[in-house]
Amino acid sequence: MSEPTKPEVVLPEGDAPTELTVRDLVVGDGAEAKPGGVVRIHYVGVTFGTGREFDASWDGGRPFKFAVGGGRVIKGLDRGIRGMRVGGRREIVVPPRLGYGKQSPSPLIPAGSTLVFVVDLLSA
C-alpha cells in the first residue's frame, strides 16, 4: 500500500457542531484503534472558525505516535480515533470542551475554538 499524502482540509458546512463528530473519508481495512493500543497517525489540524492550519504531522515528515486513552492528546482526538481502522482517513470535528477550551497552547488557536482534524491511521 502506498503512503497517503497530506490531505487538504475542507471545512464542514454550517455552524460548528457542539458535539464530537467523526466522518470516515476513507474506510480502512487494517487493525482497529482501541483504548490501550498504540497508534501511529498523520494528521492536519485547522480551526473551524478560520480554516487556518495550526499543526500537521506531515510538515515534519514524522507520524505521531500515542496510546489511545493514555491522555497524551486532547480528548476529542483520542475519542474520535477509536474504532478507526488502519488505512483509513477520518475527519474529526472537536468542540472546545473536548479540545483546548479556553486554554489555547498556541497563538494559532483562539480560545474556545472548534478544531477540525483529518487523520490517517498508519498503524494500530
Side-chain angles (χ1 to χ4, degrees):
M1 186 180 101
S2 65
E3 281 283 302
T5 54
K6 181 176 175 180
E8 194 64 43
V9 179
V10 178
L11 292 178
E13 298 279 317
D15 296 333
T18 56
E19 296 301 318
L20 179 70
T21 61
V22 298
R23 182 169 65 101
D24 285 318
L25 305 174
V26 175
V27 176
D29 56 9
E32 186 179 332
K34 295 182 176 141
V38 173
V39 295
R40 211 166 51 91
I41 65 171
H42 258 316
Y43 66 89
V44 177
V46 303
T47 58
F48 191 97
T50 65
R52 283 214 312 263
E53 184 178 304
F54 60 82
D55 194 16
S57 61
W58 297 93
D59 299 344
R62 292 220 316 276
F64 181 63
K65 226 170 140 168
F66 67 97
V68 179
R72 288 237 3 249
V73 296
I74 58 170
K75 285 188 177 100
L77 188 56
D78 194 277
R79 291 181 193 169
I81 202 164
R82 295 175 190 195
M84 194 175 172
R85 293 195 172 275
V86 171
R89 174 172 280 182
R90 180 176 279 181
E91 174 191 87
I92 303 171
V93 183
V94 180
R97 67 185 169 76
L98 295 175
Y100 296 111
K102 307 219 178 310
Q103 303 297 314
S104 172
S106 159
L108 297 175
I109 305 171
S113 289
T114 296
L115 309 175
V116 181
F117 291 93
V118 173
V119 176
D120 288 296
L121 184 57
L122 305 175
S123 67

